[in-house]
mmCIF file of all heavy atoms in Angstrom:
data_model
loop_
_atom_site.group_PDB
_atom_site.id
_atom_site.type_symbol
_atom_site.label_atom_id
_atom_site.label_comp_id
_atom_site.label_asym_id
_atom_site.label_seq_id
_atom_site.Cartn_x
_atom_site.Cartn_y
_atom_site.Cartn_z
ATOM 1 N N PHE A 150 2.672 -6.245 -4.623
ATOM 2 C CA PHE A 150 2.900 -5.172 -5.574
ATOM 3 C C PHE A 150 2.067 -5.544 -6.755
ATOM 4 O O PHE A 150 2.128 -6.597 -7.301
ATOM 5 C CB PHE A 150 4.361 -5.183 -6.002
ATOM 6 C CG PHE A 150 4.688 -4.024 -7.007
ATOM 7 C CD1 PHE A 150 5.182 -2.936 -6.564
ATOM 8 C CD2 PHE A 150 4.417 -4.127 -8.357
ATOM 9 C CE1 PHE A 150 5.464 -1.818 -7.411
ATOM 10 C CE2 PHE A 150 4.744 -3.116 -9.305
ATOM 11 C CZ PHE A 150 5.133 -1.988 -8.822
ATOM 12 N N GLY A 151 1.108 -4.695 -7.103
ATOM 13 C CA GLY A 151 0.158 -5.038 -8.087
ATOM 14 C C GLY A 151 -0.113 -4.018 -9.195
ATOM 15 O O GLY A 151 0.206 -2.834 -9.058
ATOM 16 N N LEU A 152 -0.417 -4.539 -10.358
ATOM 17 C CA LEU A 152 -0.754 -3.734 -11.517
ATOM 18 C C LEU A 152 -2.256 -4.030 -11.809
ATOM 19 O O LEU A 152 -2.688 -5.192 -11.817
ATOM 20 C CB LEU A 152 0.005 -4.054 -12.732
ATOM 21 C CG LEU A 152 1.566 -4.020 -12.640
ATOM 22 C CD1 LEU A 152 2.320 -4.451 -13.892
ATOM 23 C CD2 LEU A 152 2.026 -2.652 -12.203
ATOM 24 N N ILE A 153 -3.061 -2.973 -12.140
ATOM 25 C CA ILE A 153 -4.442 -3.121 -12.380
ATOM 26 C C ILE A 153 -4.631 -2.514 -13.726
ATOM 27 O O ILE A 153 -4.444 -1.298 -13.929
ATOM 28 C CB ILE A 153 -5.312 -2.376 -11.296
ATOM 29 C CG1 ILE A 153 -4.940 -2.799 -9.833
ATOM 30 C CG2 ILE A 153 -6.744 -2.670 -11.502
ATOM 31 C CD1 ILE A 153 -5.537 -2.117 -8.823
ATOM 32 N N MET A 154 -5.380 -3.268 -14.600
ATOM 33 C CA MET A 154 -5.576 -2.776 -15.995
ATOM 34 C C MET A 154 -7.042 -3.076 -16.298
ATOM 35 O O MET A 154 -7.590 -4.073 -16.087
ATOM 36 C CB MET A 154 -4.543 -3.482 -16.931
ATOM 37 C CG MET A 154 -3.127 -3.164 -16.634
ATOM 38 S SD MET A 154 -2.015 -4.496 -17.239
ATOM 39 C CE MET A 154 -2.285 -5.854 -16.133
ATOM 40 N N THR A 155 -7.554 -2.104 -17.184
ATOM 41 C CA THR A 155 -8.978 -2.338 -17.704
ATOM 42 C C THR A 155 -8.708 -2.443 -19.166
ATOM 43 O O THR A 155 -8.469 -1.439 -19.941
ATOM 44 C CB THR A 155 -9.825 -1.033 -17.460
ATOM 45 O OG1 THR A 155 -9.896 -0.778 -16.030
ATOM 46 C CG2 THR A 155 -11.186 -1.363 -17.905
ATOM 47 N N PRO A 156 -8.901 -3.748 -19.742
ATOM 48 C CA PRO A 156 -8.712 -3.907 -21.101
ATOM 49 C C PRO A 156 -9.769 -3.386 -22.035
ATOM 50 O O PRO A 156 -10.925 -3.267 -21.692
ATOM 51 C CB PRO A 156 -8.611 -5.469 -21.191
ATOM 52 C CG PRO A 156 -9.503 -5.942 -20.120
ATOM 53 C CD PRO A 156 -9.385 -4.985 -18.975
ATOM 54 N N VAL A 157 -9.304 -3.013 -23.257
ATOM 55 C CA VAL A 157 -10.290 -2.726 -24.242
ATOM 56 C C VAL A 157 -11.043 -3.996 -24.647
ATOM 57 O O VAL A 157 -10.475 -5.131 -24.526
ATOM 58 C CB VAL A 157 -9.507 -2.124 -25.570
ATOM 59 C CG1 VAL A 157 -10.415 -2.003 -26.741
ATOM 60 C CG2 VAL A 157 -8.921 -0.790 -25.136
ATOM 61 N N ALA A 158 -12.243 -3.862 -25.129
ATOM 62 C CA ALA A 158 -13.016 -5.103 -25.439
ATOM 63 C C ALA A 158 -12.244 -5.966 -26.444
ATOM 64 O O ALA A 158 -11.608 -5.528 -27.396
ATOM 65 C CB ALA A 158 -14.319 -4.613 -26.092
ATOM 66 N N ASP A 159 -12.325 -7.304 -26.166
ATOM 67 C CA ASP A 159 -11.707 -8.342 -26.951
ATOM 68 C C ASP A 159 -10.178 -8.321 -26.899
ATOM 69 O O ASP A 159 -9.494 -9.153 -27.674
ATOM 70 C CB ASP A 159 -12.067 -8.205 -28.460
ATOM 71 C CG ASP A 159 -13.644 -8.333 -28.656
ATOM 72 O OD1 ASP A 159 -14.238 -9.025 -27.927
ATOM 73 O OD2 ASP A 159 -14.106 -7.650 -29.545
ATOM 74 N N THR A 160 -9.585 -7.535 -26.012
ATOM 75 C CA THR A 160 -8.107 -7.701 -25.768
ATOM 76 C C THR A 160 -7.821 -8.847 -24.939
ATOM 77 O O THR A 160 -8.343 -8.955 -23.862
ATOM 78 C CB THR A 160 -7.634 -6.420 -25.138
ATOM 79 O OG1 THR A 160 -7.804 -5.288 -25.976
ATOM 80 C CG2 THR A 160 -6.070 -6.500 -24.838
ATOM 81 N N ALA A 161 -6.968 -9.717 -25.332
ATOM 82 C CA ALA A 161 -6.596 -10.911 -24.583
ATOM 83 C C ALA A 161 -5.858 -10.505 -23.328
ATOM 84 O O ALA A 161 -5.033 -9.621 -23.296
ATOM 85 C CB ALA A 161 -5.798 -11.926 -25.476
ATOM 86 N N CYS A 162 -6.129 -11.283 -22.286
ATOM 87 C CA CYS A 162 -5.376 -11.107 -21.034
ATOM 88 C C CYS A 162 -3.919 -11.220 -21.313
ATOM 89 O O CYS A 162 -3.095 -10.417 -20.693
ATOM 90 C CB CYS A 162 -5.831 -12.024 -20.049
ATOM 91 S SG CYS A 162 -4.865 -12.121 -18.442
#
Side-chain angles (χ1 to χ4, degrees):
F150 183 98
L152 304 179
I153 308 174
M154 299 156 286
T155 303
V157 171
D159 299 327
T160 298
C162 172

